[in-house]
């Protein structure tokens, strides 16, 4: 296998992202056309030198982006490119305390239902991805700079597990800024190394994870609502 075809193993968690970008580039360039089948899992493993887990995660992300559809026993097929959406939220557009609170209200409605669907529909692979993000969040007390990304990835993995691409596309369009906004704009004295805050937030995330693991949709919706409502309350109490 040519060395330039191998993905960079040093990127760790970025392997699936890099594979997604490679495949997306082929789709956008018309090398793989709508209706055409993606290369098999085995051929992608061989071509890019990655594990089957990485390939499956990449395919899951392409599904969430509305670029492919997978049929049991038949494989994954490229869909017609979706029309671009005019809806977007830039960090610069969230300017006031009211804007940030409104964003959390919006997320409560969207992500509570997303968590409920994830509990009903998640696969074992998707559950492990949520668990990895949770573990990364717990470890971020040792590496504070990783906390925001781990927090965002936890919410994004749940959206992906919902099986509804609109949830994951919407959350992905926001990016980590939905986690950063409260801290950078409203709490200038706050740092992600605040152990008490991080412990409390991690426990809230664990409650969401356990409900999804138990496939308890009602509990998952409730746990996500409690977590985001608590975040809202913390913002209102911020100095």
């Amino acid at each position: 296998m040519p060395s330039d075809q191998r993905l960079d193993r040093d990127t760790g968690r970025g392997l699936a992202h890099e594979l997604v970008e490679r495949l997306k580039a082929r789709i956008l360039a018309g090398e793989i056309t709508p209706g055409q089948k993606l290369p098999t899992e085995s051929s992608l493993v061989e071509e890019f030198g990655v594990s089957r887990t990485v390939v499956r995660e990449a395919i899951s992300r392409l599904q969430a982006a509305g670029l492919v559809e997978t049929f049991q026993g038949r494989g994954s097929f490229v869909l017609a490119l979706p029309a671009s959406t005019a809806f977007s939220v830039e960090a610069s557009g969230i300017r006031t305390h009211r804007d940030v609170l409104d964003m959390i209200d919006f997320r409560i409605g969207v992500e509570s239902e997303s968590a409920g669907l994830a509990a009903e529909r998640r696969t074992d692979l998707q559950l492990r991805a949520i668990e990895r993000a949770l573990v990364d969040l717990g470890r971020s007390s040792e590496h504070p700079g990783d906390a925001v990304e781990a927090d965002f990835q936890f919410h994004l993995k749940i959206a992906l597990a919902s099986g509804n691409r609109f949830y994951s596309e919407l959350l992905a369009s926001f990016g980590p800024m939905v986690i950063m906004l409260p801290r950078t704009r409203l709490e200038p004295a706050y740092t992600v190394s605040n152990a008490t805050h991080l412990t409390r937030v991690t426990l809230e995330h664990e409650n969401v994870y356990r409900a999804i693991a138990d496939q308890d949709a009602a509990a998952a919706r409730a746990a996500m609502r409690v977590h985001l409502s608590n975040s809202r309350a913390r913002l209102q109490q911020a100095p």
Side-chain angles (χ1 to χ4, degrees):
M1 179 177 58
S3 60
D4 61 354
Q5 288 295 311
R6 284 184 175 274
L7 298 181
D8 182 1
R9 284 181 166 78
D10 294 335
T11 58
R13 290 179 299 173
L15 286 174
H17 172 75
E18 189 175 345
L19 179 54
V20 167
E21 292 305 308
R22 294 280 190 92
L23 294 175
K24 186 185 295 184
R26 292 183 183 181
I27 293 171
L28 295 177
E31 295 177 20
I32 310 176
T33 58
Q36 187 175 348
K37 185 179 178 180
L38 283 182
T40 65
E41 184 178 289
S42 297
S43 64
L44 290 173
V45 167
E46 175 64 23
E47 179 178 359
F48 293 102
V50 295
S51 68
R52 290 182 180 274
T53 298
V54 169
V55 171
R56 290 167 185 164
E57 172 70 11
I59 298 299
S60 176
R61 294 188 189 187
L62 290 171
Q63 285 179 278
L67 293 175
V68 305
E69 185 167 8
T70 299
F71 299 92
Q72 186 68 32
R74 293 175 55 199
S76 299
F77 295 81
V78 174
L79 298 172
L81 295 178
S84 61
T85 175
F87 179 79
S88 65
V89 177
E90 298 293 334
S92 59
I94 309 295
R95 298 184 297 273
T96 68
H97 189 276
R98 179 75 258 167
D99 287 342
V100 177
L101 294 178
D102 285 348
M103 171 59 79
I104 293 188
D105 287 340
F106 180 72
R107 289 181 62 200
I108 288 172
V110 170
E111 294 195 56
S112 296
E113 183 59 24
S114 174
L117 291 175
E120 295 173 351
R121 302 173 178 176
R122 58 86 177 164
T123 65
D124 290 342
L125 183 64
Q126 289 168 333
L127 182 64
R128 287 196 294 272
I130 297 169
E131 183 180 18
R132 284 196 301 272
L134 180 62
V135 170
D136 289 341
L137 181 61
R139 289 174 177 168
S140 62
S141 59
E142 304 169 9
H143 305 283
D146 297 336
V148 170
E149 179 63 25
D151 195 334
F152 174 68
Q153 286 299 322
F154 178 83
H155 288 267
L156 181 59
K157 297 302 184 184
I158 290 172
L160 286 164
S162 75
N164 184 321
R165 71 180 179 87
F166 295 109
Y167 284 118
S168 54
E169 284 182 14
L170 179 64
L171 199 58
S173 74
F174 292 155
M177 75 95 172
V178 296
I179 308 299
M180 284 293 293
L181 276 173
R183 297 169 181 172
T184 57
R185 294 181 180 272
L186 297 183
E187 300 177 74
Y190 174 81
T191 66
V192 290
S193 60
N194 183 314
T196 300
H197 175 94
L198 185 58
T199 298
R200 184 165 56 244
V201 170
T202 300
L203 287 172
E204 291 172 7
H205 284 77
E206 287 175 355
N207 289 336
V208 177
Y209 166 78
R210 280 196 295 270
I212 293 174
D214 292 341
Q215 296 185 299
D216 187 334
R221 290 185 179 95
M224 182 64 79
R225 179 172 291 275
V226 166
H227 165 52
L228 292 175
S229 296
N230 285 346
S231 295
R232 192 183 195 283
R234 286 189 285 267
L235 288 175
Q236 290 181 304
Q237 296 166 5

